Amino acid sequence: ILFQLTPHPVVTGPRPGLVDVTLPVEFSGIFPARGATNGVRFEAKKDEAWWIDVVSERLGSVTDPRVIVERERASGESGDGATVDVLELVDTDANLGGVEFNTSTRDAAARFVAPTNGWYRVRVQNLFQPAPGSLQPSYGLSIRRESASAPAVVTALQLPRTNDNDRTAHPLPHFLRRGDTQLARVVVFRQDGFAGDLEVEFKSLPSGVTSMPTRIPSGQNVGHAILSASEDAAVAPEGVPVVLEVRGPGNAPQPVAWATVSRSIPEWNDQFVPVRPTREAVLSVSRSESAPITLRSSTNRIAVGADGKFKVPLEVVRRFEFPAAIELKPAGRPEWDKAKPATVPEKARSEEHTSELQSLRHLVCRLLLEKK
């Protein structure tokens, strides 16, 4: 049995039909039969802003909700019909997390601003219909005031692709070798118009493990949190629970949930990648294995010249007779996409990585290592 929690009053109603409600409200309904609608009726003042969100497919039902907001004509108002269409909600097509965490859904959501004082109706129907005799699926209709926020979901980063045809996805832990640095993928759901910067950092880390604060810039929905293990890090074999802190509007902490791919998928073009929530994140560090190579920088602050060029001094720590040349490419921001890769020569133990960016205001640097 799935339970939903809400701070708003919960109302149920007939099927079909409309229920008079006072906003904000959480309406729990059952889709009516083909061609019929149900929903809520409410009074709103001019220029009041509300967010309307319907949840059904995300509850596990095979549905395609259609939601229309109508205004009732005032007494004596000319025009055909008793109502005027104001807004139709559209599907949430945006896939923020890619194939590994698909966020697109046929559930609909939209911002509603009352054009004038009056009574309004929100009508809901299902464009998919179950077979005759089957139970009609349920839905939740939320109408709430604007509240800028950015809840986040964290997943372990997938393994580097072996080639352009590699389309696998695996359940992966948050695991580090000694001297290793790994990333966690952070997907944020910007709500009610919030588009500002988000500060991201791991907290409550075990001895020998550190996290560098990073930022998800304004307008972006995906970022990374950084975890690094020292060469003498010691973590219990069963791992240690960790906390990720995401701060948004007014430096307020945002809700953070954890998720993982639930089973391996060999080809994501043929199969939907299944994802499930996890109760917590557990970080593990190997007690016996070290990373074959570590790159260290003497600074975590980089000055970018007026020409957009910058340099990063690097120390290369090679282990286990790992002599190969290494290709470096900055990543994590759109400005980096056109940056040219640099190469650490074979057997080299120091290098000055040079890149060029166009119009950069803030810099959060991540280096991807690939064996050449």
Side-chain angles (χ1 to χ4, degrees):
I1 300 176
L2 178 66
F3 285 87
Q4 291 180 273
L5 300 178
T6 174
H8 305 134
V10 178
V11 177
T12 62
R15 176 174 59 95
L18 298 174
V19 179
D20 287 356
V21 298
T22 301
L23 303 186
V25 70
E26 197 83 29
F27 180 75
S28 181
I30 302 291
F31 284 109
R34 183 185 301 274
T37 63
N38 66 350
V40 299
R41 178 176 179 266
F42 60 89
E43 188 175 17
K45 302 296 184 182
K46 182 180 179 181
D47 296 332
E48 280 186 342
W50 300 90
W51 277 89
I52 303 176
D53 187 8
V54 63
V55 180
S56 182
E57 187 188 41
R58 285 173 286 177
L59 299 177
S61 302
V62 182
T63 57
D64 185 6
R66 181 172 186 251
V67 183
I68 296 178
V69 182
E70 303 171 335
R71 179 180 63 82
E72 296 182 0
R73 293 188 186 276
S75 178
E77 182 179 345
S78 62
D80 297 332
T83 62
V84 179
D85 288 354
V86 176
L87 176 67
E88 180 172 357
L89 278 63
V90 298
D91 296 354
T92 308
D93 294 326
N95 179 10
L96 307 181
V99 295
E100 301 154 14
F101 188 72
N102 193 328
T103 63
S104 61
T105 174
R106 286 186 289 266
D107 290 344
R111 184 175 187 261
F112 164 69
V113 179
T116 185
N117 295 347
W119 282 88
Y120 294 84
R121 304 175 181 180
V122 179
R123 294 187 178 272
V124 182
Q125 66 179 150
N126 182 16
L127 297 181
F128 293 168
Q129 284 296 324
S134 300
L135 293 175
Q136 289 285 352
S138 61
Y139 68 89
L141 175 66
S142 173
I143 307 178
R144 66 182 191 276
R145 291 194 181 276
E146 290 186 295
S147 177
S149 62
V153 173
V154 189
T155 62
L157 201 66
Q158 288 290 310
L159 298 172
R161 307 295 173 199
T162 57
N163 54 61
D164 292 339
N165 296 319
D166 183 3
R167 298 183 181 90
T168 59
H170 305 282
L172 296 172
H174 299 277
F175 173 78
L176 295 167
R177 294 169 292 186
R178 291 184 171 189
D180 197 7
T181 294
Q182 294 288 343
L183 304 178
R185 193 161 181 256
V186 184
V187 180
V188 294
F189 296 82
R190 297 180 181 271
Q191 292 186 346
D192 301 357
F194 172 67
D197 291 350
L198 292 162
E199 305 296 330
V200 178
E201 185 179 6
F202 273 102
K203 300 288 187 178
S204 305
L205 294 172
S207 175
V209 180
T210 58
S211 175
M212 179 185 296
T214 60
R215 175 178 296 166
I216 300 177
S218 174
Q220 292 190 27
N221 297 301
V222 179
H224 297 92
I226 301 173
L227 285 168
S228 298
S230 65
E231 296 183 20
D232 58 354
V235 176
E238 63 272 16
V240 175
V242 293
V243 175
L244 183 73
E245 185 177 86
V246 178
R247 292 193 169 272
N251 203 34
Q254 305 299 301
V256 176
W258 302 86
T260 182
V261 175
S262 58
R263 69 177 185 274
S264 293
I265 296 298
E267 172 59 68
W268 67 54
N269 282 340
D270 297 336
Q271 293 177 272
F272 186 83
V273 179
V275 178
R276 65 174 178 83
T278 61
R279 294 179 180 176
E280 61 184 2
V282 175
L283 171 67
S284 301
V285 178
S286 174
R287 289 185 168 185
S288 58
E289 185 181 5
S290 297
I293 189 167
T294 300
L295 270 71
R296 300 186 183 126
S297 174
S298 59
T299 179
N300 60 2
R301 294 185 178 274
I302 302 170
V304 182
D307 58 359
K309 293 183 178 180
F310 65 92
K311 295 182 178 181
V312 183
L314 298 175
E315 176 193 0
V316 184
V317 179
R318 297 178 182 269
R319 305 182 183 90
F320 313 119
E321 299 181 358
F322 186 90
I326 302 167
E327 186 175 274
L328 306 177
K329 190 177 189 311
R333 290 185 58 111
E335 295 93 338
W336 296 88
D337 292 345
K338 296 182 180 180
K340 296 180 180 179
T343 300
V344 177
E346 185 176 352
K347 298 183 179 180
R349 295 187 177 275
S350 65
E351 179 71 13
E352 191 166 62
H353 175 62
T354 303
S355 286
E356 181 175 348
L357 299 179
Q358 300 295 327
S359 182
L360 180 68
R361 294 179 59 193
H362 303 288
L363 181 64
V364 179
C365 177
R366 171 167 77 90
L367 298 178
L368 289 180
L369 307 183
E370 295 181 0
K371 183 176 179 181
K372 186 176 181 181

